[in-house]
Structure formats: C-alpha cells, structure tokens
Amino acid sequence: MTPLASFWSGLGGQPALVSRVSAVERPGVLSSRLPVREFAGACVGVCALAAAELAGRRTVGGEVPAVRVDDGAVATAFVSERHLRTDGRAGESFAPLSRFWRTADGWVRTHANYPHHRARLLAALGTPEDPDAVAAALAGRSAREVEETVTAAGGLAVALRTPEEWAAHEQAAAVARLPLVERVRLDSAPAREFAAPDGAGPLLPASGLRVLDLTRVIAGPVATRTLALLGADVLRLDPPRLPELPDQHTDTGFGKRSARLDLAPDRERFEELLAGADVVVTGYRPGVLDRFGLGAEALAERRPGLVVAQLSAWGATGPWAGRRGFDSLVQVATGIAHVERGPEGRPGALPAQALDHGTGYLLAAGVLRALSDQAEAGGSRLVRAALARTAAELSAGAGDRVTGESGTDLSPAPWLAERDSTLGRLRYALPPVDVEGGPRDWARAPGAWGADTARWL
C-alpha cells in the first residue's frame, strides 16, 4: 500500500477515492536519508483528497473532483518560511541560542526563538545571553541532565537519542499506540447540513464554515491556513501578552484574520465566537486549555456539532504529554537527527520542518474528513495529531533501507507568487493543495498580528 493510500485508510476514507489522485514525481526534491519526499506528498495528497471529497458532497451530482500532487509544489510549500520575502527581506530563522550543543557525553538541542523560552533556558543554565557562555556551561554536563534541568524550568532542551534509544522510551511506547490521526465521535449531535457552494469562482469546499484558530508556530497555522484556502472564515486568536514572531505569523497567516483576546476578561466575547463556530483548532499542550473550559468535550457540550482539532508535540498521553516541543526538538528525541547526522557524526536535520508541515496537512485532512462524516452520521468530532506520531510514521516509512536521494536543482519559481499587502510586498510559496476547479491561491494576504476585530465576517 502506498503512503497516500495508507494515510487515507487511517483517516477512514473510502479506498476507491485514491484513484482520483494523480502525482507528478520529481525525485531528488527534499533530499534526505528518510523518505521525506514521499511522506510530504502523501500528507498533502490526503488533505487535497479530503477537500475533494467534501466538495463532492456539497455539489450537485456528488462527483469527487480530481486531485493532483506535484512534488515541486509540495517541496516548495514545505519550506515556505525560507521562501518568504517582505519588501525583499528574508524572514528570520532560528535564533542564535536555538541550535545543537556539545555536552559531556553527546549532544543536546535547545529552542529559544521566543523571548520567554530564551529567558528560561538561560536561568536554568545560570549563564548570560552569550553563546560562548552557554557552550561552556553545557560542555560540562550530560545531555540528559541538561534536558531535565531546562525542562523543569519551563525551557526547551532535548538530548539527542538514537532510534533505538527512543524506541525504549516510555513516550515512544505511548505514541506507538496512537493512530496517525486520532478520530473520535463525542456525542450524537444531528447530521451537518451543508449549503451548496456558490457556483461563481473556484470550488471552495469549506465555504460558509467558521474556524477558530487557537494555534501557534507552524503545524497548527499550516492546518488553518489550508482551511482558509478552501474557503473557511478563519479567525486566529492570541493572548495579548504573547505575540507571535512576525515572519512566522506572515508565512502562516495567508487567508486568515488575526485578533487578540484575553480569555479571562473577554470570556463573553469568546463564547459569542464559539456559538458561531464550526471548527476549533488548538495547538497548546494537552490540558493547558482545559482550565478555561476549552477541552474537546466541554466545547462540544456548549456547541453541539463542533469539530475540535487538537495538535501537540508529544501526544496526549505518556510521561512527556505535558512537555513543550517543536519540530526540531522532536527530530532530536525520536532519532531522526541521529539518522540524518553528517559525515563527522554531528547531528543533522530533515531538509524541511517536515513534521510541522506534514502534521499540519494531516490535521487539516482530519478536519475535512470529520466534516464529511458529520454530513452522514452527525456527532461532534475530535481530531488529534502529534508531531512525535508523525515522526514515527516518517521513520517507519524508511523500512529496512535508509539511503536517501541525491538532491536536485529544481527551481521553485513555478510555485512562488508575489502580492501587495499591508505588511509590504510579499513573495511567498503557493499552496500545494490542488483540487480540480479549486483555488490556486489564498483570497487574502496576511496582515499584522492581532490587528483584526474578534468577530465573524
């Protein structure tokens, strides 16, 4: 079974619909020792197929449009943050303290892009914000000690593990028990009734749907960016005191609106938004939002028929479920960075933040499939995905052979576009989700973080 067919089966899709997908293969893109190209194409492919399925349910005759997966478009989109230009300026990448460091017995990777994470890292290590001082402090400690000390302080540091070491870890066992995308029916809410999409313009499977986006960084915003492409009114909400990194917000903000909302004093406004929502997507650590009444069951109780999508780094169960995490750190913990190591043994990385991007498209696919299921059987729905589970799927796809592909000089130009925005002139990667008759670009450019009003259109 191909990765796409396997992923589609795991999402509960009808096997016959896989025949609606055609592929343009470009060997050498996303070159890696692991099968990143095939994996990325499968993630985008099932997302596009789920969109096509939903479109078929909403159109007269019910025919499912054809889907096309082009490796060039996928590879360009999976590094969209690298292609972003704002008035010619490239986006900022990892901060100086977000990197691999030598320890007394191996390697550790830290993540300090956000100011509060950087402050916690430095406090845990007892060093000033100086790379040489951090390097000296880490050189005398074991990687596992650093991991535990920094984690206990609320910072982010993960020791490098081999695939075998991760396989023996309790969190790996918890992740292995999870499906690639978890799908749960929460109640017996009535079947969803869809209005037929407007016949003018491109086919928009998610038109008329309202999505509350409570996500940050890459994977969650990629999922909601995709739903926005497909016609949903996506409103991203962030706490006023926790701003997003500007370039990151621009890259993943296409098609959406962005507002600031403090859940404590603005609770009434949030409940008004929830009352009009069809989908809520969250990207915070498991349990963090529960104290605000934003767990899946609590949301569905107040808004029957809701689809709740939850994203986490390490999964919803296991000893690491409550830990913070990012794509780069999950690669280190799960053995991917060991597999991708350089000739001198230095830990490596995937050619893209493929766990983030891949999980984003898988989560969007899960939401779209949940909406299709609701049209038949009703019920509020929970969809869950985790970067660590996605990592397990990518690693398993290597089989018994980890050799990799040679690179390619393929130009990304066909899959890049430019447009004006309130932020300036933007160059950006076009969406890789290609459904016959569907949109080829987002209807709106991103705006400044938190600049919109917290209301539905």
Side-chain angles (χ1 to χ4, degrees):
M1 184 181 292
T2 65
L4 188 147
S6 175
F7 292 4
W8 183 246
S9 175
L11 285 164
Q14 297 179 15
L17 291 183
V18 174
S19 65
R20 302 299 294 159
V21 183
S22 63
V24 179
E25 296 186 2
R26 303 181 190 273
V29 300
L30 297 176
S31 176
S32 172
R33 292 180 178 176
L34 292 172
V36 177
R37 177 179 65 86
E38 298 87 343
F39 163 81
C43 291
V44 171
V46 295
C47 183
L49 187 54
E53 177 192 35
L54 184 59
R57 290 187 179 277
R58 301 189 64 177
T59 54
V60 177
E63 182 177 357
V64 174
V67 167
R68 185 171 181 264
V69 181
D70 189 317
D71 282 347
V74 173
T76 303
F78 264 57
V79 291
S80 60
E81 62 275 9
R82 298 182 202 169
H83 292 298
L84 179 69
R85 298 290 184 275
T86 305
D87 288 334
R89 178 187 61 80
E92 294 183 9
S93 186
F94 287 102
L97 298 186
S98 296
R99 48 167 278 199
F100 284 107
W101 307 85
R102 276 278 193 187
T103 63
D105 60 351
W107 295 89
V108 69
R109 180 150 191 168
T110 56
H111 195 288
N113 286 5
Y114 287 97
H116 57 294
H117 291 158
R118 183 163 58 251
R120 293 168 187 170
L121 170 67
L122 296 172
L125 299 178
T127 64
E129 190 173 339
D130 172 44
D132 291 337
V134 172
L138 294 175
R141 306 187 190 189
S142 74
R144 302 290 177 87
E145 177 197 352
V146 172
E147 178 181 275
E148 293 305 319
T149 300
V150 174
T151 298
L156 293 124
V158 172
L160 177 70
R161 289 171 171 80
T162 66
E164 294 75 22
E165 288 171 332
W166 176 248
H169 197 283
E170 289 182 52
Q171 191 59 37
V175 167
R177 292 190 287 269
L178 299 173
L180 180 59
V181 179
E182 190 175 358
R183 303 162 57 246
V184 179
R185 178 171 175 159
L186 298 172
D187 57 29
S188 57
R192 180 180 291 274
E193 296 184 7
F194 286 108
D198 188 348
L203 181 66
L204 298 172
S207 64
L209 297 174
R210 291 169 167 174
V211 178
L212 275 181
D213 178 1
L214 309 181
T215 70
R216 297 177 66 81
V217 197
I218 296 178
V222 163
T224 52
R225 182 180 71 180
T226 302
L227 296 174
L229 169 75
L230 299 171
D233 177 13
V234 178
L235 177 62
R236 173 168 166 165
L237 299 178
D238 283 286
R241 292 177 295 278
L242 197 60
E244 183 60 284
L245 301 175
D247 292 327
Q248 200 162 257
H249 184 264
T250 301
D251 177 51
T252 59
F254 284 88
K256 305 186 239 183
R257 293 177 297 122
S258 169
R260 287 171 281 181
L261 191 75
D262 193 326
L263 280 175
D266 297 333
R267 189 54 186 250
E268 184 176 346
R269 172 56 60 89
F270 177 82
E271 294 300 325
E272 291 173 355
L273 292 170
L274 176 63
D278 299 285
V279 179
V280 175
V281 186
T282 69
Y284 292 81
R285 288 172 293 138
V288 166
L289 296 178
D290 289 8
R291 66 179 183 271
F292 297 106
L294 302 183
E297 292 80 4
L299 288 169
E301 184 177 350
R302 303 200 301 281
R303 175 61 168 161
L306 193 68
V307 174
V308 180
Q310 296 177 339
L311 171 78
S312 65
W314 306 104
T317 61
W320 281 22
R323 289 197 178 192
R324 297 170 176 83
F326 293 92
D327 179 306
S328 58
L329 301 183
V330 176
Q331 289 189 41
V332 172
T334 59
I336 290 175
H338 176 79
V339 170
E340 297 292 336
R341 64 192 182 278
E344 297 180 358
R346 183 181 176 84
L350 297 174
Q353 295 191 67
L355 306 183
D356 263 333
H357 286 271
T359 305
Y361 290 109
L362 289 171
L363 192 66
V367 169
L368 295 164
R369 284 252 55 253
L371 292 165
S372 287
D373 286 343
Q374 285 182 324
E376 284 192 358
S380 303
R381 306 282 173 151
L382 169 63
V383 179
R384 277 193 187 130
L387 301 185
R389 180 62 183 85
T390 303
E393 198 73 19
L394 173 59
S395 298
D400 297 325
R401 183 173 61 90
V402 183
T403 58
E405 296 178 328
S406 59
T408 179
D409 294 329
L410 182 70
S411 169
W415 304 286
L416 297 176
E418 291 192 9
R419 71 198 301 176
D420 292 319
S421 75
T422 58
L423 303 174
R425 182 72 176 174
L426 300 179
R427 190 196 77 176
Y428 58 98
L430 289 166
V433 174
D434 187 347
V435 178
E436 183 182 13
R440 294 292 180 265
D441 200 347
W442 290 275
R444 62 182 291 149
W449 177 80
D452 295 295
T453 302
R455 62 174 180 83
W456 296 117
L457 294 177

